[in-house]
Amino acid sequence: MTDLDGQILAAYSTGGDPQTNYALRSTYPCSALKPLSVYAPALDKGRINWTTAFEDSPVKTLTADDGAETPWPANADGQYTGQPMRVCDAIRQSINTVAVRCLQTLTVEESIAFLGDTLGMNLTFEKQMIEQAGGEEIWGNLALGYLYHGLSPVDMAGYYQIFATGGVYTPPHAILDIRDSGGAVLFESRAEPRQVIGTDTACIMNHLLQLVAAPGGTGAEARLDGVPVAGKTGTSSYNQDNWFVGVTPAYSCAVWHGEPPRGSGEGNRASRLFHDILSAMSQDIQQDFPDDAGVRQAAYCRETGLLLSAECKQMEVGFFRADAMPGT
């Protein structure tokens, strides 16, 4: 857990290997990476908005050594609607097909540039794969969170600050300064805040990620009474990486746990753990996430994704850039 200035407030590791600090151990961030690798940079560059739709169907077919063919990527429930799905719904339900298709629109190169050059992630392997085999070979690394070098809970708590700070990232740090007995400063933290996405992008992403912690979202168990939560779940195909990374107006917290006992039926408990942790923290229920003057809340037609018109039969509300509102 960090505050929104990057200061590490708490870290907890238990179970598994007693010699391993799981708060600092890198592993696959899974779908918790999607807001960072796909949706935030695509939104920041104007490639998508709240109602942009991508087809929920396999992007390609994988052929095994024995000739068996498998559609890819698989959604968590193994099902595809075969219909256009809006970004807001895909984030709420963590739909893998839409994340991959959105990455194609953004481009692998731009995703790599944001994660590596802007946020400073280690993407050496992914860059080598692009050179050797092309960008298609790392669609899963970026869109589904299977980064070769992985990320730790401390890393993820740090990166998710941007969805609560208007796009400002401050690297996580545990020490502010070290002084000698006379008060002279021997060491001072050099963790400098940087604007990494637009304030309007951060505001819209915040509202999108609040859908995840709302009823019907994959992280609904993370909800807090009277305190808004924006975040994202992540679960590996083999059920060994289970995440919820989220922010409140005061904190950023990443929860990871490994594979639950076989037959326990527990699945991904990270959202519930996030709720339990944050419920014990001091919260100002009057505090809210920052608004942005460049963002407008507007009603749109569920069928068309355009602004509400008299012909519309089903209405929903979303958040859009004021200078890039969808038509009617």
Side-chain angles (χ1 to χ4, degrees):
M1 178 184 296
T2 74
D3 65 14
L4 299 186
D5 294 319
Q7 297 180 42
I8 298 174
L9 303 178
Y12 179 74
S13 173
T14 188
D17 180 0
Q19 304 301 315
T20 299
N21 183 345
Y22 291 97
L24 297 175
R25 173 180 173 267
S26 292
T27 185
Y28 295 139
C30 308
S31 290
L33 186 70
K34 292 174 182 175
L36 298 166
S37 60
V38 178
Y39 295 118
L43 185 62
D44 208 45
K45 292 183 176 296
R47 308 289 174 78
I48 62 171
N49 64 29
W50 186 283
T51 60
T52 300
F54 297 93
E55 186 174 300
D56 175 26
S57 64
V59 176
K60 62 180 180 179
T61 299
L62 303 180
T63 304
D65 293 339
D66 62 0
E69 295 186 339
T70 304
W72 185 92
N75 289 325
D77 61 1
Q79 304 296 313
Y80 308 98
T81 65
Q83 301 296 319
M85 178 174 287
R86 306 205 183 284
V87 164
C88 55
D89 297 319
I91 291 176
R92 173 168 39 202
Q93 300 173 36
S94 198
I95 302 298
N96 291 333
T97 54
V98 172
V100 173
R101 293 184 184 279
C102 186
L103 175 64
Q104 291 176 310
T105 296
L106 172 65
T107 76
V108 163
E109 291 74 18
E110 290 184 326
S111 177
I112 287 280
F114 180 69
L115 297 180
D117 300 340
T118 302
L119 294 181
M121 295 182 192
N122 181 358
L123 301 179
T124 304
F125 175 84
E126 283 76 16
K127 291 178 180 179
Q128 290 174 346
M129 287 300 296
I130 292 175
E131 294 177 358
Q132 295 171 8
E136 182 176 335
E137 291 301 310
I138 62 165
W139 283 349
N141 301 50
L142 300 176
L144 307 184
Y146 288 97
L147 293 180
Y148 182 80
H149 290 288
L151 294 169
S152 72
V154 169
D155 293 330
M156 292 296 285
Y159 295 132
Y160 263 62
Q161 295 169 41
I162 68 175
F163 302 126
T165 60
V168 175
Y169 170 62
T170 307
H173 52 285
I175 299 173
L176 297 180
D177 60 51
I178 300 173
R179 300 169 183 262
D180 65 18
S181 58
V185 176
L186 304 178
F187 169 85
E188 192 168 16
S189 172
R190 296 181 180 177
E192 295 291 335
R194 293 183 289 114
Q195 190 79 39
V196 296
I197 55 175
T199 57
D200 50 0
T201 297
C203 179
I204 296 171
M205 282 300 305
N206 181 285
H207 286 289
L208 285 166
L209 294 175
Q210 286 189 53
L211 298 176
V212 175
T218 57
E221 288 186 299
R223 293 186 73 194
L224 298 170
D225 292 337
V227 178
V229 172
K232 184 71 185 71
T233 52
T235 306
S236 70
S237 302
Y238 301 102
N239 205 34
Q240 294 178 349
D241 290 290
N242 301 273
W243 292 86
F244 185 84
V245 189
V247 290
T248 72
Y251 305 110
S252 182
C253 181
V255 178
W256 174 91
H257 73 84
E259 184 177 10
R262 293 188 181 278
S264 68
E266 285 289 335
N268 189 341
R269 304 188 301 270
S271 300
R272 195 185 326 154
L273 292 168
F274 178 96
H275 169 272
D276 293 346
I277 293 166
L278 272 295
S279 292
M281 297 295 294
S282 174
Q283 304 276 356
D284 180 358
I285 62 173
Q286 302 300 319
Q287 191 177 7
D288 204 348
F289 292 117
D291 287 326
D292 187 86
V295 173
R296 280 182 54 191
Q297 183 178 14
Y300 66 91
C301 181
R302 177 72 185 169
E303 296 173 345
T304 65
L306 302 177
L307 293 181
L308 195 63
S309 66
E311 293 76 24
C312 183
K313 298 178 181 178
Q314 191 175 8
M315 180 203 82
E316 288 197 1
V317 174
F319 292 82
F320 306 88
R321 284 194 176 88
D323 60 357
M325 300 293 290
T328 55

